[in-house]
Amino acid sequence: MMQKPKILAADNTKVALRYMETILGDIYDVTLVQTGMSVLDCLKSEIPDLILMNANIKEDKETKEIPVILMMNVKDIQSELRGLEEGAIDFISLPFEPQVLKARIAHIVELSVLRKQQAHLIAKQKEQIDRLFLQSMVTIA
């Protein structure tokens, strides 16, 4: 059986986190945290396919490649633009429509999973090329 994609959801309210878990938990493996520091702690042990939160963590070298959807209770274009310019892959104004959230997440997670698979294949091919190169060097010597 295929493993569920992993989502790390951060919000300072337990109610919002439980709501996200209710909406997403049947499709994704959802980890819930209440602080930005907790996000960083979680990332030390496991890299999710997507992060949902209200702050950007793209400055951190470890998180640069993880897609982040910013979820904020603002509806001004400047906040949305700033979030996207700082590296968020999407911006959702709160309150959100559950079906829209699911649709956006589905597309982003699919791309994230494909990117991980591609990186794995490239690393595997590189290992094979390196091994063949070393074998050819032994044969020449």
Side-chain angles (χ1 to χ4, degrees), residues 70-130:
L70 289 177
M71 300 180 70
M72 301 177 83
N73 197 10
V74 294
K75 297 192 189 272
D76 66 280
I77 291 175
Q78 292 306 317
S79 296
E80 187 171 347
L81 277 173
R82 187 172 44 255
L84 295 170
E85 287 170 352
E86 290 176 358
I89 199 157
D90 204 349
F91 184 98
I92 297 176
S93 295
L94 299 175
F96 59 86
E97 177 59 43
Q99 284 104 353
V100 172
L101 179 66
K102 282 182 175 181
R104 288 182 179 194
I105 288 173
H107 292 297
I108 293 167
V109 166
E110 181 181 7
L111 290 173
S112 177
V113 168
L114 289 173
R115 226 180 271 128
K116 282 181 179 180
Q117 289 172 346
Q118 181 185 34
H120 176 73
L121 289 173
I122 289 170
K124 199 172 183 180
Q125 286 177 335
K126 184 182 178 326
E127 285 176 20
Q128 290 173 340
I129 291 169
D130 290 347

Short mmCIF file of all heavy atoms in Angstrom, two decimals, residues 70-130:
data_model
loop_
_atom_site.label_atom_id
_atom_site.label_comp_id
_atom_site.label_asym_id
_atom_site.label_seq_id
_atom_site.Cartn_x
_atom_site.Cartn_y
_atom_site.Cartn_z
N LEU A 70 1.09 29.53 2.78
CA LEU A 70 0.82 30.46 3.87
C LEU A 70 -0.69 30.60 4.04
O LEU A 70 -1.42 30.77 3.07
CB LEU A 70 1.41 31.83 3.56
CG LEU A 70 2.93 31.94 3.61
CD1 LEU A 70 3.37 33.34 3.21
CD2 LEU A 70 3.45 31.60 4.99
N MET A 71 -1.13 30.49 5.27
CA MET A 71 -2.54 30.63 5.59
C MET A 71 -2.66 31.76 6.61
O MET A 71 -2.23 31.62 7.74
CB MET A 71 -3.09 29.31 6.15
CG MET A 71 -2.95 28.17 5.17
SD MET A 71 -3.58 26.62 5.80
CE MET A 71 -5.33 26.96 5.81
N MET A 72 -3.21 32.89 6.15
CA MET A 72 -3.26 34.06 7.02
C MET A 72 -4.63 34.70 7.00
O MET A 72 -5.35 34.63 6.01
CB MET A 72 -2.20 35.07 6.59
CG MET A 72 -0.78 34.47 6.64
SD MET A 72 0.47 35.62 6.07
CE MET A 72 0.72 36.55 7.56
N ASN A 73 -4.95 35.35 8.09
CA ASN A 73 -6.23 36.03 8.24
C ASN A 73 -6.12 37.47 7.75
O ASN A 73 -6.46 38.40 8.46
CB ASN A 73 -6.68 35.97 9.70
CG ASN A 73 -8.13 36.29 9.85
OD1 ASN A 73 -8.86 36.37 8.87
ND2 ASN A 73 -8.57 36.47 11.09
N VAL A 74 -5.59 37.63 6.55
CA VAL A 74 -5.50 38.96 5.93
C VAL A 74 -5.99 38.83 4.50
O VAL A 74 -5.88 37.79 3.88
CB VAL A 74 -4.06 39.51 5.94
CG1 VAL A 74 -3.60 39.80 7.35
CG2 VAL A 74 -3.11 38.58 5.25
N LYS A 75 -6.53 39.90 4.00
CA LYS A 75 -7.05 39.87 2.64
C LYS A 75 -6.47 41.00 1.79
O LYS A 75 -7.05 41.40 0.80
CB LYS A 75 -8.57 39.94 2.65
CG LYS A 75 -9.19 38.75 3.35
CD LYS A 75 -10.66 38.66 3.12
CE LYS A 75 -11.28 37.61 3.98
NZ LYS A 75 -11.32 36.31 3.46
N ASP A 76 -5.31 41.51 2.18
CA ASP A 76 -4.72 42.57 1.38
C ASP A 76 -3.68 42.00 0.43
O ASP A 76 -2.98 41.03 0.74
CB ASP A 76 -4.12 43.67 2.27
CG ASP A 76 -2.94 43.19 3.06
OD1 ASP A 76 -3.15 42.54 4.10
OD2 ASP A 76 -1.81 43.46 2.61
N ILE A 77 -3.59 42.57 -0.72
CA ILE A 77 -2.70 42.09 -1.77
C ILE A 77 -1.25 42.18 -1.35
O ILE A 77 -0.44 41.30 -1.69
CB ILE A 77 -2.95 42.89 -3.07
CG1 ILE A 77 -4.33 42.52 -3.61
CG2 ILE A 77 -1.88 42.62 -4.10
CD1 ILE A 77 -4.77 43.30 -4.81
N GLN A 78 -0.86 43.19 -0.58
CA GLN A 78 0.54 43.35 -0.17
C GLN A 78 1.02 42.17 0.68
O GLN A 78 2.13 41.68 0.48
CB GLN A 78 0.74 44.68 0.60
CG GLN A 78 0.56 45.91 -0.27
CD GLN A 78 1.44 45.88 -1.51
OE1 GLN A 78 2.61 45.51 -1.47
NE2 GLN A 78 0.87 46.25 -2.64
N SER A 79 0.21 41.70 1.60
CA SER A 79 0.60 40.54 2.42
C SER A 79 0.74 39.30 1.57
O SER A 79 1.68 38.52 1.72
CB SER A 79 -0.44 40.29 3.51
OG SER A 79 -0.48 41.37 4.40
N GLU A 80 -0.19 39.11 0.66
CA GLU A 80 -0.14 37.95 -0.22
C GLU A 80 1.10 38.01 -1.11
O GLU A 80 1.83 37.03 -1.24
CB GLU A 80 -1.41 37.90 -1.07
CG GLU A 80 -1.53 36.66 -1.90
CD GLU A 80 -2.89 36.54 -2.58
OE1 GLU A 80 -3.83 37.28 -2.23
OE2 GLU A 80 -2.99 35.69 -3.47
N LEU A 81 1.35 39.16 -1.71
CA LEU A 81 2.53 39.31 -2.57
C LEU A 81 3.82 39.09 -1.79
O LEU A 81 4.73 38.41 -2.26
CB LEU A 81 2.56 40.71 -3.20
CG LEU A 81 1.72 40.89 -4.45
CD1 LEU A 81 1.70 42.36 -4.86
CD2 LEU A 81 2.23 40.03 -5.57
N ARG A 82 3.90 39.66 -0.60
CA ARG A 82 5.11 39.51 0.23
C ARG A 82 5.36 38.03 0.52
O ARG A 82 6.48 37.53 0.39
CB ARG A 82 4.99 40.31 1.52
CG ARG A 82 6.26 40.32 2.34
CD ARG A 82 6.24 41.29 3.53
NE ARG A 82 5.00 41.28 4.30
CZ ARG A 82 4.06 42.24 4.24
NH1 ARG A 82 4.21 43.29 3.46
NH2 ARG A 82 2.97 42.16 4.98
N GLY A 83 4.31 37.30 0.88
CA GLY A 83 4.45 35.88 1.17
C GLY A 83 4.93 35.09 -0.04
O GLY A 83 5.82 34.25 0.06
N LEU A 84 4.37 35.39 -1.20
CA LEU A 84 4.77 34.69 -2.42
C LEU A 84 6.19 35.08 -2.84
O LEU A 84 6.96 34.23 -3.27
CB LEU A 84 3.77 34.98 -3.54
CG LEU A 84 2.36 34.42 -3.30
CD1 LEU A 84 1.39 34.95 -4.33
CD2 LEU A 84 2.37 32.91 -3.29
N GLU A 85 6.53 36.35 -2.69
CA GLU A 85 7.89 36.79 -3.03
C GLU A 85 8.94 36.18 -2.11
O GLU A 85 10.08 35.98 -2.51
CB GLU A 85 7.97 38.32 -2.99
CG GLU A 85 7.26 38.98 -4.15
CD GLU A 85 7.12 40.49 -3.99
OE1 GLU A 85 7.44 41.04 -2.90
OE2 GLU A 85 6.67 41.14 -4.95
N GLU A 86 8.56 35.88 -0.88
CA GLU A 86 9.49 35.28 0.08
C GLU A 86 9.60 33.77 -0.09
O GLU A 86 10.33 33.11 0.64
CB GLU A 86 9.07 35.62 1.51
CG GLU A 86 9.26 37.08 1.85
CD GLU A 86 8.74 37.43 3.24
OE1 GLU A 86 8.21 36.55 3.94
OE2 GLU A 86 8.87 38.60 3.62
N GLY A 87 8.87 33.20 -1.06
CA GLY A 87 9.06 31.80 -1.37
C GLY A 87 7.88 30.87 -1.13
O GLY A 87 7.98 29.68 -1.42
N ALA A 88 6.78 31.38 -0.59
CA ALA A 88 5.62 30.50 -0.41
C ALA A 88 5.12 30.07 -1.78
O ALA A 88 5.17 30.83 -2.75
CB ALA A 88 4.51 31.23 0.35
N ILE A 89 4.66 28.85 -1.86
CA ILE A 89 4.17 28.34 -3.14
C ILE A 89 2.72 28.76 -3.38
O ILE A 89 2.25 28.81 -4.50
CB ILE A 89 4.35 26.81 -3.23
CG1 ILE A 89 4.29 26.37 -4.68
CG2 ILE A 89 3.35 26.08 -2.37
CD1 ILE A 89 4.96 25.07 -4.94
N ASP A 90 2.01 29.09 -2.29
CA ASP A 90 0.63 29.54 -2.41
C ASP A 90 0.27 30.33 -1.16
O ASP A 90 0.97 30.29 -0.15
CB ASP A 90 -0.32 28.35 -2.57
CG ASP A 90 -1.62 28.71 -3.27
OD1 ASP A 90 -1.90 29.92 -3.46
OD2 ASP A 90 -2.37 27.79 -3.63
N PHE A 91 -0.84 31.05 -1.23
CA PHE A 91 -1.32 31.88 -0.13
C PHE A 91 -2.82 31.67 -0.04
O PHE A 91 -3.53 31.81 -1.04
CB PHE A 91 -1.00 33.35 -0.42
CG PHE A 91 -1.36 34.27 0.70
CD1 PHE A 91 -0.39 34.69 1.61
CD2 PHE A 91 -2.66 34.74 0.86
CE1 PHE A 91 -0.71 35.55 2.65
CE2 PHE A 91 -2.99 35.59 1.90
CZ PHE A 91 -2.01 36.00 2.78
N ILE A 92 -3.30 31.34 1.14
CA ILE A 92 -4.74 31.14 1.35
C ILE A 92 -5.19 32.07 2.47
O ILE A 92 -4.64 32.05 3.56
CB ILE A 92 -5.05 29.68 1.70
CG1 ILE A 92 -4.67 28.77 0.53
CG2 ILE A 92 -6.53 29.51 2.07
CD1 ILE A 92 -4.84 27.30 0.78
N SER A 93 -6.20 32.88 2.15
CA SER A 93 -6.79 33.77 3.16
C SER A 93 -7.75 32.97 4.03
O SER A 93 -8.49 32.12 3.56
CB SER A 93 -7.54 34.91 2.50
OG SER A 93 -6.66 35.74 1.79
N LEU A 94 -7.69 33.27 5.33
CA LEU A 94 -8.61 32.63 6.27
C LEU A 94 -9.85 33.49 6.43
O LEU A 94 -9.76 34.71 6.33
CB LEU A 94 -7.91 32.47 7.63
CG LEU A 94 -6.67 31.59 7.62
CD1 LEU A 94 -6.02 31.61 8.99
CD2 LEU A 94 -6.99 30.18 7.20
N PRO A 95 -10.99 32.94 6.65
CA PRO A 95 -11.26 31.51 6.69
C PRO A 95 -11.19 30.92 5.28
O PRO A 95 -11.43 31.60 4.30
CB PRO A 95 -12.68 31.43 7.26
CG PRO A 95 -13.31 32.72 6.88
CD PRO A 95 -12.20 33.73 6.87
N PHE A 96 -10.88 29.63 5.19
CA PHE A 96 -10.72 28.99 3.89
C PHE A 96 -11.89 28.07 3.59
O PHE A 96 -12.61 27.64 4.48
CB PHE A 96 -9.41 28.20 3.82
CG PHE A 96 -9.30 27.12 4.87
CD1 PHE A 96 -9.84 25.86 4.65
CD2 PHE A 96 -8.65 27.36 6.07
CE1 PHE A 96 -9.74 24.87 5.61
CE2 PHE A 96 -8.55 26.38 7.04
CZ PHE A 96 -9.10 25.13 6.81
N GLU A 97 -12.07 27.80 2.32
CA GLU A 97 -13.08 26.85 1.85
C GLU A 97 -12.43 25.47 1.79
O GLU A 97 -11.42 25.30 1.10
CB GLU A 97 -13.59 27.27 0.47
CG GLU A 97 -14.60 26.34 -0.15
CD GLU A 97 -15.86 26.16 0.69
OE1 GLU A 97 -16.38 27.16 1.22
OE2 GLU A 97 -16.30 24.99 0.81
N PRO A 98 -12.92 24.48 2.54
CA PRO A 98 -12.26 23.17 2.60
C PRO A 98 -11.97 22.53 1.23
O PRO A 98 -10.89 22.00 1.02
CB PRO A 98 -13.23 22.31 3.41
CG PRO A 98 -13.93 23.29 4.30
CD PRO A 98 -14.08 24.53 3.44
N GLN A 99 -12.93 22.59 0.30
CA GLN A 99 -12.70 21.96 -1.01
C GLN A 99 -11.59 22.66 -1.78
O GLN A 99 -10.80 22.02 -2.48
CB GLN A 99 -13.98 21.93 -1.87
CG GLN A 99 -14.96 20.88 -1.44
CD GLN A 99 -16.12 21.48 -0.68
OE1 GLN A 99 -16.15 22.66 -0.36
NE2 GLN A 99 -17.10 20.65 -0.38
N VAL A 100 -11.50 23.98 -1.65
CA VAL A 100 -10.44 24.73 -2.33
C VAL A 100 -9.09 24.38 -1.71
O VAL A 100 -8.11 24.15 -2.42
CB VAL A 100 -10.71 26.26 -2.26
CG1 VAL A 100 -9.53 27.06 -2.78
CG2 VAL A 100 -11.98 26.61 -3.04
N LEU A 101 -9.04 24.31 -0.39
CA LEU A 101 -7.80 23.93 0.29
C LEU A 101 -7.34 22.55 -0.17
O LEU A 101 -6.18 22.35 -0.52
CB LEU A 101 -7.98 23.95 1.81
CG LEU A 101 -6.76 23.55 2.63
CD1 LEU A 101 -5.63 24.55 2.46
CD2 LEU A 101 -7.13 23.40 4.10
N LYS A 102 -8.26 21.59 -0.20
CA LYS A 102 -7.92 20.23 -0.63
C LYS A 102 -7.39 20.21 -2.06
O LYS A 102 -6.42 19.52 -2.36
CB LYS A 102 -9.13 19.30 -0.53
CG LYS A 102 -9.44 18.83 0.86
CD LYS A 102 -10.63 17.89 0.79
CE LYS A 102 -10.94 17.27 2.11
NZ LYS A 102 -12.07 16.34 2.02
N ALA A 103 -8.04 20.95 -2.95
CA ALA A 103 -7.62 20.97 -4.35
C ALA A 103 -6.23 21.58 -4.50
O ALA A 103 -5.38 21.04 -5.22
CB ALA A 103 -8.64 21.75 -5.19
N ARG A 104 -5.97 22.67 -3.82
CA ARG A 104 -4.64 23.30 -3.90
C ARG A 104 -3.57 22.38 -3.33
O ARG A 104 -2.51 22.22 -3.90
CB ARG A 104 -4.65 24.63 -3.15
CG ARG A 104 -5.43 25.70 -3.88
CD ARG A 104 -5.37 27.00 -3.14
NE ARG A 104 -6.09 28.02 -3.87
CZ ARG A 104 -6.01 29.31 -3.63
NH1 ARG A 104 -5.21 29.75 -2.67
NH2 ARG A 104 -6.70 30.17 -4.32
N ILE A 105 -3.87 21.78 -2.20
CA ILE A 105 -2.90 20.87 -1.57
C ILE A 105 -2.62 19.68 -2.47
O ILE A 105 -1.47 19.28 -2.64
CB ILE A 105 -3.41 20.43 -0.19
CG1 ILE A 105 -3.30 21.58 0.80
CG2 ILE A 105 -2.63 19.23 0.31
CD1 ILE A 105 -3.93 21.30 2.15
N ALA A 106 -3.67 19.12 -3.08
CA ALA A 106 -3.48 17.94 -3.94
C ALA A 106 -2.49 18.23 -5.06
O ALA A 106 -1.60 17.42 -5.32
CB ALA A 106 -4.83 17.49 -4.51
N HIS A 107 -2.62 19.38 -5.70
CA HIS A 107 -1.71 19.71 -6.80
C HIS A 107 -0.28 19.92 -6.30
O HIS A 107 0.67 19.43 -6.90
CB HIS A 107 -2.18 20.98 -7.52
CG HIS A 107 -3.46 20.79 -8.27
ND1 HIS A 107 -3.60 19.92 -9.32
CD2 HIS A 107 -4.68 21.37 -8.10
CE1 HIS A 107 -4.84 19.97 -9.78
NE2 HIS A 107 -5.51 20.84 -9.05
N ILE A 108 -0.15 20.62 -5.22
CA ILE A 108 1.18 20.93 -4.70
C ILE A 108 1.87 19.68 -4.17
O ILE A 108 3.06 19.45 -4.41
CB ILE A 108 1.09 22.04 -3.63
CG1 ILE A 108 0.65 23.35 -4.30
CG2 ILE A 108 2.43 22.22 -2.92
CD1 ILE A 108 0.23 24.44 -3.34
N VAL A 109 1.13 18.83 -3.46
CA VAL A 109 1.71 17.60 -2.93
C VAL A 109 2.13 16.67 -4.07
O VAL A 109 3.19 16.05 -4.01
CB VAL A 109 0.74 16.90 -1.96
CG1 VAL A 109 1.17 15.48 -1.68
CG2 VAL A 109 0.65 17.69 -0.65
N GLU A 110 1.32 16.60 -5.10
CA GLU A 110 1.68 15.76 -6.25
C GLU A 110 3.02 16.22 -6.84
O GLU A 110 3.90 15.40 -7.11
CB GLU A 110 0.59 15.82 -7.32
CG GLU A 110 0.89 14.97 -8.52
CD GLU A 110 -0.20 15.03 -9.60
OE1 GLU A 110 -1.14 15.84 -9.47
OE2 GLU A 110 -0.08 14.27 -10.56
N LEU A 111 3.19 17.51 -7.02
CA LEU A 111 4.46 18.03 -7.54
C LEU A 111 5.61 17.76 -6.57
O LEU A 111 6.71 17.41 -6.99
CB LEU A 111 4.34 19.54 -7.81
CG LEU A 111 3.45 19.93 -8.99
CD1 LEU A 111 3.29 21.44 -9.04
CD2 LEU A 111 4.03 19.40 -10.29
N SER A 112 5.36 17.91 -5.28
CA SER A 112 6.39 17.67 -4.28
C SER A 112 6.84 16.22 -4.30
O SER A 112 8.04 15.93 -4.26
CB SER A 112 5.86 18.05 -2.89
OG SER A 112 6.82 17.77 -1.90
N VAL A 113 5.89 15.30 -4.37
CA VAL A 113 6.22 13.87 -4.40
C VAL A 113 7.00 13.54 -5.67
O VAL A 113 8.00 12.82 -5.62
CB VAL A 113 4.93 13.01 -4.27
CG1 VAL A 113 5.20 11.56 -4.59
CG2 VAL A 113 4.34 13.17 -2.88
N LEU A 114 6.57 14.08 -6.80
CA LEU A 114 7.29 13.85 -8.06
C LEU A 114 8.71 14.40 -8.00
O LEU A 114 9.66 13.77 -8.49
CB LEU A 114 6.53 14.46 -9.24
CG LEU A 114 5.24 13.75 -9.63
CD1 LEU A 114 4.48 14.56 -10.69
CD2 LEU A 114 5.53 12.36 -10.14
N ARG A 115 8.88 15.56 -7.38
CA ARG A 115 10.22 16.16 -7.23
C ARG A 115 11.13 15.26 -6.38
O ARG A 115 12.29 15.06 -6.71
CB ARG A 115 10.09 17.54 -6.59
CG ARG A 115 10.91 18.60 -7.30
CD ARG A 115 10.78 19.97 -6.65
NE ARG A 115 9.66 20.69 -7.23
CZ ARG A 115 8.68 21.26 -6.57
NH1 ARG A 115 8.64 21.23 -5.26
NH2 ARG A 115 7.71 21.89 -7.19
N LYS A 116 10.58 14.72 -5.30
CA LYS A 116 11.35 13.82 -4.45
C LYS A 116 11.74 12.55 -5.21
O LYS A 116 12.87 12.08 -5.11
CB LYS A 116 10.55 13.43 -3.20
CG LYS A 116 10.51 14.48 -2.14
CD LYS A 116 9.73 13.97 -0.95
CE LYS A 116 9.68 14.98 0.16
NZ LYS A 116 8.92 14.48 1.32
N GLN A 117 10.79 12.00 -5.98
CA GLN A 117 11.08 10.80 -6.76
C GLN A 117 12.17 11.08 -7.80
O GLN A 117 13.07 10.27 -8.01
CB GLN A 117 9.81 10.29 -7.45
CG GLN A 117 8.81 9.69 -6.49
CD GLN A 117 7.48 9.37 -7.16
OE1 GLN A 117 7.18 9.82 -8.26
NE2 GLN A 117 6.66 8.60 -6.47
N GLN A 118 12.08 12.23 -8.43
CA GLN A 118 13.08 12.61 -9.43
C GLN A 118 14.46 12.74 -8.80
O GLN A 118 15.46 12.24 -9.33
CB GLN A 118 12.68 13.92 -10.10
CG GLN A 118 13.65 14.39 -11.16
CD GLN A 118 13.28 15.74 -11.72
OE1 GLN A 118 12.75 16.60 -11.00
NE2 GLN A 118 13.54 15.94 -12.99
N ALA A 119 14.53 13.39 -7.65
CA ALA A 119 15.82 13.55 -6.95
C ALA A 119 16.39 12.18 -6.58
O ALA A 119 17.59 11.96 -6.70
CB ALA A 119 15.64 14.42 -5.72
N HIS A 120 15.54 11.28 -6.14
CA HIS A 120 15.98 9.92 -5.78
C HIS A 120 16.53 9.20 -7.01
O HIS A 120 17.58 8.55 -6.94
CB HIS A 120 14.82 9.14 -5.16
CG HIS A 120 15.14 7.73 -4.84
ND1 HIS A 120 15.96 7.38 -3.78
CD2 HIS A 120 14.79 6.57 -5.45
CE1 HIS A 120 16.09 6.07 -3.76
NE2 HIS A 120 15.40 5.55 -4.76
N LEU A 121 15.82 9.29 -8.13
CA LEU A 121 16.28 8.64 -9.36
C LEU A 121 17.61 9.22 -9.85
O LEU A 121 18.50 8.49 -10.29
CB LEU A 121 15.21 8.76 -10.46
CG LEU A 121 13.97 7.91 -10.27
CD1 LEU A 121 12.92 8.25 -11.33
CD2 LEU A 121 14.30 6.43 -10.31
N ILE A 122 17.74 10.53 -9.77
CA ILE A 122 18.99 11.18 -10.18
C ILE A 122 20.14 10.71 -9.31
O ILE A 122 21.23 10.39 -9.80
CB ILE A 122 18.84 12.71 -10.17
CG1 ILE A 122 17.92 13.14 -11.32
CG2 ILE A 122 20.20 13.40 -10.26
CD1 ILE A 122 17.50 14.60 -11.27
N ALA A 123 19.91 10.64 -8.00
CA ALA A 123 20.97 10.18 -7.08
C ALA A 123 21.34 8.73 -7.38
O ALA A 123 22.53 8.37 -7.38
CB ALA A 123 20.49 10.31 -5.64
N LYS A 124 20.35 7.91 -7.68
CA LYS A 124 20.60 6.51 -8.00
C LYS A 124 21.40 6.39 -9.30
O LYS A 124 22.35 5.60 -9.39
CB LYS A 124 19.26 5.78 -8.12
CG LYS A 124 19.33 4.30 -8.02
CD LYS A 124 17.92 3.74 -7.96
CE LYS A 124 17.95 2.25 -7.79
NZ LYS A 124 16.61 1.68 -7.72
N GLN A 125 21.04 7.19 -10.31
CA GLN A 125 21.78 7.17 -11.57
C GLN A 125 23.22 7.64 -11.37
O GLN A 125 24.14 7.09 -11.96
CB GLN A 125 21.07 8.03 -12.62
CG GLN A 125 19.82 7.40 -13.15
CD GLN A 125 19.09 8.29 -14.13
OE1 GLN A 125 19.22 9.51 -14.10
NE2 GLN A 125 18.31 7.68 -15.00
N LYS A 126 23.39 8.65 -10.54
CA LYS A 126 24.73 9.16 -10.27
C LYS A 126 25.59 8.07 -9.61
O LYS A 126 26.75 7.88 -9.97
CB LYS A 126 24.69 10.40 -9.39
CG LYS A 126 26.05 11.02 -9.16
CD LYS A 126 25.97 12.22 -8.26
CE LYS A 126 27.29 12.84 -7.95
NZ LYS A 126 28.44 12.00 -7.84
N GLU A 127 24.99 7.34 -8.68
CA GLU A 127 25.72 6.23 -8.03
C GLU A 127 26.14 5.19 -9.07
O GLU A 127 27.27 4.69 -9.04
CB GLU A 127 24.84 5.55 -6.98
CG GLU A 127 24.67 6.33 -5.70
CD GLU A 127 23.71 5.63 -4.74
OE1 GLU A 127 23.48 4.40 -4.88
OE2 GLU A 127 23.18 6.32 -3.85
N GLN A 128 25.23 4.86 -9.98
CA GLN A 128 25.54 3.87 -11.01
C GLN A 128 26.66 4.36 -11.94
O GLN A 128 27.56 3.60 -12.29
CB GLN A 128 24.29 3.54 -11.83
CG GLN A 128 23.25 2.76 -11.06
CD GLN A 128 21.95 2.59 -11.82
OE1 GLN A 128 21.65 3.33 -12.75
NE2 GLN A 128 21.15 1.61 -11.40
N ILE A 129 26.60 5.62 -12.31
CA ILE A 129 27.64 6.19 -13.18
C ILE A 129 28.98 6.18 -12.45
O ILE A 129 30.00 5.81 -13.03
CB ILE A 129 27.24 7.62 -13.63
CG1 ILE A 129 26.06 7.53 -14.60
CG2 ILE A 129 28.43 8.35 -14.24
CD1 ILE A 129 25.41 8.86 -14.91
N ASP A 130 28.98 6.58 -11.19
CA ASP A 130 30.22 6.58 -10.41
C ASP A 130 30.80 5.17 -10.30
O ASP A 130 32.00 4.96 -10.43
CB ASP A 130 29.99 7.16 -9.01
CG ASP A 130 29.74 8.66 -9.03
OD1 ASP A 130 29.99 9.30 -10.07
OD2 ASP A 130 29.28 9.19 -7.99
#
